[in-house]
Amino acid sequence: MEVPKKLVTTVSGCADDALAGLVACNPELRLLQGHRVVLRNDLAAVRGRVAVLSGGGSGHEPAHAGYVGKGMLTGVVAGAVFASPSVGSVLTAIRAVTQAGAAGVLLIVKNYTGDRLNFGMALERARAEGTDVRMVVVGDDCAFAKPGKAGRRGVCGTVLVHKVAGALAEAGASLDEIEKKVTAATKVMGTLGLSLSPCSIPGSKPSFQLAADEMELGLGIHGEAGVHRMKVLPADKAVETMLKHMTDPSNASHLSLTPGSSVVLVVNNLGGLSCLELGIVAGAAVRCLESRGICIARALVGSFMTALEMAGVSLTLMLVDEELLRLIDAKTTAMAWPNLLAGPATTRRKEIPAPAEGPKKPQDEAGSGPGTARVQRVLERVCSTLLDMRDRLNELDRGAGDGDCGHTHARAAQAIREWMRARPPPAVPAQLLSGLADVVLEQMGGSSGVLYGLFLTAAARSLSGRSDFPAWADAMDAGIEAMQRYGGAAPGDRTMLDSLFAAAQALRSLRSPGANLLQVLAAAAQSAEAAAEATRHMEAAAGRASYVRSSRLEQPDPGAVAVAAVLRAVLEGLRDTPQ
């Protein structure tokens, strides 16, 4: 097992460097000289108020220093990665706020042995110096059905405790009142984590391994073992599993939820989950809670207390009344607290009505007859060709793109087939191309869908009221001009435009009196195929391939190959169709 890569300056200095970076970017924060302690810049504002201090090991960013600010924490004490801070640094932080005139100090500590010991020892020494210091230990983990002697671990719910304590202190509450209300808040919340991957301390190997098809329920924020390994579940099922475990009465660590309860929900990224996945989990959590008759008074979604790069999520629920909710909503300048609007979370929000469509496009009145039948046969040949080429186009695209060119064109082909089944395609050229533009824009996806849509829309406009041969040459030029204007590519850039431009040169023969359509189209298809093959030797200057070294582009451009195949299919479809 290899040591994972980390973007750090030095392994030994990573915790200090992280704090220094945070302070450098936030004018509200200051470092305490000689210690891993971050304090509010305006310590004078603490005079006469209770100071709220917290902290713990580094590696949980933005916890804890991200929550220092007016209306939240007065300061934090950080240890090395996943290590408790020293007694001396905790004591120094207490002295700093006491000397600034604080009317007592509240320590908020996660329930880990090292944190309890070091913060507790500092508390005793500060009391010996005459300071009124209290400590609230947070244990919100719902993982273990029968917690051992150490009790429940302190995890992401600690952030909500920070917020409640900080809001009370900012409002001028006494140390007795804050201690009482914060202690009560710790008893009405629960948290549970779910991980897809381990985490690793800088310079070290991962603390555990999970198989590619496994997830683990109930891990701690340092990579400590959870309660159950299982096969990876879809997000909605995973969320149901988490909430069921958190609220199971047979679990001694459970949180009691009854229909009608009001909660604050925290959907916390454990460090390595994508924002896309986090949004999916958040939606699933809201739906699941709503189905139980729970009111989600507020929902916080983001990275609040992480475990380095662990790909996972935790859910925190805090039962709230009006007072607790006011404290959660109270203003704070802490940079890691989300700027939330006060309002509930729900999946039942009324959608904004879509705007009315513009004037309907005129449709071909006939919708049948030889013209329509000819169009259907040609389009069917095009669709069959693209579907047959799916794998080849994907393979060509893997060298320079994301390997989905074949899937994208196949989607377009399937959409065109469905469009034809729903209604015979119009035989009028402008209406036909306009209708095809709508289909590819709505169904094809990717930049290819937009480029084809631009081409067809501009070509349709050029064909309006015309159907003679020169009109088709003009339409080809108009479509290419639109693609160049918005796409930015030019002939020679190794894109689909190379095939289109070559075909357009040949189609100009349609402007000559007595031109033979099939002969001209055959020349256009042959030119497009030659141009597509020539892209094999071109330097990509546009599109995704432009970011890839030319030495790796050993195949022709898939977009150019697709265009050439479409032109060949149109030719063959027309040849097979009675004129």
Side-chain angles (χ1 to χ4, degrees):
M1 191 190 313
E2 296 182 354
V3 174
K5 293 178 285 188
K6 302 283 186 181
L7 196 59
V8 299
T9 303
T10 65
V11 169
S12 60
C14 60
D16 296 290
D17 292 344
L19 285 182
L22 182 75
V23 171
C25 295
N26 191 331
E28 190 183 25
L29 305 181
R30 288 289 185 274
L31 282 167
L32 191 60
Q33 187 177 17
H35 297 273
R36 281 199 203 101
V37 174
V38 175
L39 297 168
R40 284 173 54 175
N41 180 44
D42 59 341
L43 275 186
V46 180
R47 180 173 294 278
R49 289 187 169 90
V50 172
V52 183
L53 300 177
S54 188
S58 298
H60 305 302
E61 291 72 22
H64 302 82
Y67 303 114
V68 175
K70 183 178 180 181
M72 213 159 173
L73 297 179
T74 313
V76 300
V77 191
V81 176
F82 291 176
S84 300
S86 69
V87 173
S89 289
V90 178
L91 180 59
T92 302
I94 295 171
R95 287 171 177 163
V97 296
T98 301
Q99 291 171 16
V105 181
L106 180 69
L107 304 179
I108 297 174
V109 179
K110 299 188 302 301
N111 187 30
Y112 293 99
T113 302
D115 288 355
R116 286 200 322 271
L117 287 173
N118 290 11
F119 276 86
M121 185 68 248
L123 176 148
E124 294 299 331
R125 290 182 63 182
R127 282 182 176 173
E129 295 175 1
T131 304
D132 190 358
V133 190
R134 317 282 176 84
M135 185 165 79
V136 171
V137 178
V138 181
D140 56 312
D141 187 15
C142 292
F144 295 100
K146 295 180 180 179
K149 188 175 181 180
R152 298 165 66 185
R153 298 175 296 202
V155 280
C156 188
T158 309
V159 177
L160 294 179
V161 176
H162 291 162
K163 185 64 179 62
V164 170
L168 286 166
E170 188 63 31
S174 68
L175 183 55
D176 287 338
E177 181 184 358
I178 297 174
E179 182 185 25
K180 178 181 177 182
K181 289 183 176 178
V182 165
T183 301
T186 65
K187 296 177 181 178
V188 290
M189 68 177 184
T191 298
L192 187 67
L194 179 74
S195 179
L196 304 175
S197 77
C199 58
S200 57
I201 294 173
S204 301
K205 295 178 180 180
S207 53
F208 64 94
Q209 287 293 310
L210 277 172
D213 62 345
E214 284 185 329
M215 52 174 39
E216 185 158 353
L217 187 70
L219 276 89
I221 54 173
H222 309 96
E224 307 99 320
V227 292
H228 179 52
R229 284 196 179 187
M230 54 194 172
K231 298 297 183 183
V232 173
L233 298 172
D236 54 348
K237 299 298 182 186
V239 167
E240 286 179 18
T241 301
M242 294 174 75
L243 291 173
K244 181 179 179 182
H245 186 90
M246 290 173 69
T247 58
D248 183 354
S250 67
N251 175 1
S253 301
H254 80 285
L255 177 68
S256 295
L257 280 187
T258 56
S261 297
S262 184
V263 301
V264 169
L265 165 69
V266 182
V267 183
N268 173 53
N269 188 346
L270 286 171
L273 206 66
S274 70
C275 292
L276 182 143
E277 293 165 281
L278 199 65
I280 293 169
V281 170
V286 172
R287 281 194 303 274
C288 190
L289 289 167
E290 283 183 327
S291 71
R292 295 181 172 205
I294 306 300
C295 170
I296 305 100
R298 302 289 183 270
L300 286 66
V301 182
S303 298
F304 300 101
M305 184 171 286
T306 62
L308 292 167
E309 81 278 32
M310 183 182 287
V313 65
S314 67
L315 300 179
T316 298
L317 296 174
M318 174 185 272
L319 290 162
V320 290
D321 54 18
E322 289 186 7
E323 182 186 15
L324 266 180
L325 201 54
R326 279 197 303 271
L327 296 170
I328 294 294
D329 287 340
K331 296 294 183 184
T332 178
T333 60
M335 64 183 299
W337 184 261
N339 185 22
L340 284 178
L341 286 176
T346 178
T347 58
R348 299 163 186 161
R349 298 195 203 285
K350 187 176 180 181
E351 294 183 345
I352 297 172
E357 293 185 14
K360 291 288 185 181
K361 299 173 185 174
Q363 296 294 322
D364 181 23
E365 293 180 4
S368 60
T372 295
R374 187 180 307 122
V375 168
Q376 285 179 311
R377 281 191 286 270
V378 171
L379 288 179
E380 180 54 40
R381 178 63 68 93
V382 170
C383 292
S384 297
T385 298
L386 291 177
L387 289 168
D388 290 343
M389 295 181 68
R390 182 197 327 238
D391 292 341
R392 184 188 172 209
L393 292 177
N394 282 340
E395 184 61 34
L396 291 176
D397 193 33
R398 284 191 187 100
D402 49 11
D404 69 344
C405 184
H407 291 315
T408 302
H409 283 80
R411 252 196 323 270
Q414 290 162 345
I416 291 169
R417 277 181 169 174
E418 292 172 8
W419 178 63
M420 290 193 294
R421 281 196 292 267
R423 182 187 185 279
V428 176
Q431 294 175 6
L432 172 64
L433 296 193
S434 182
L436 288 171
D438 289 343
V439 172
V440 296
L441 284 170
E442 292 174 10
Q443 302 293 331
M444 187 174 185
S447 56
S448 297
V450 179
L451 288 169
Y452 279 116
L454 280 168
F455 176 85
L456 292 167
T457 299
R461 191 179 304 116
S462 177
L463 279 169
S464 182
R466 302 173 63 192
S467 60
D468 55 300
F469 286 176
W472 285 99
D474 294 343
M476 188 75 161
D477 289 343
I480 289 173
E481 193 277 330
M483 290 176 69
Q484 287 186 274
R485 182 165 66 250
Y486 294 105
D493 284 349
R494 198 183 188 277
T495 68
M496 62 195 296
L497 197 63
D498 290 300
S499 291
L500 281 171
F501 189 77
Q505 299 293 102
L507 287 178
R508 288 176 182 174
S509 298
L510 291 175
R511 297 189 178 106
S512 302
N516 182 296
L517 174 63
L518 292 181
Q519 289 179 359
V520 172
L521 192 54
Q526 189 172 1
S527 297
E529 288 164 346
E533 178 59 26
T535 61
R536 182 193 298 269
H537 310 293
M538 291 180 183
E539 182 84 25
R544 226 173 239 163
S546 62
Y547 303 108
V548 181
R549 294 194 305 272
S550 58
S551 60
R552 292 178 54 192
L553 301 176
E554 301 171 348
Q555 301 293 332
D557 179 72
V561 171
V563 165
V566 168
L567 287 166
R568 177 63 63 183
V570 170
L571 172 64
E572 292 173 352
L574 287 172
R575 278 177 173 166
D576 295 344
T577 303
Q579 301 297 306

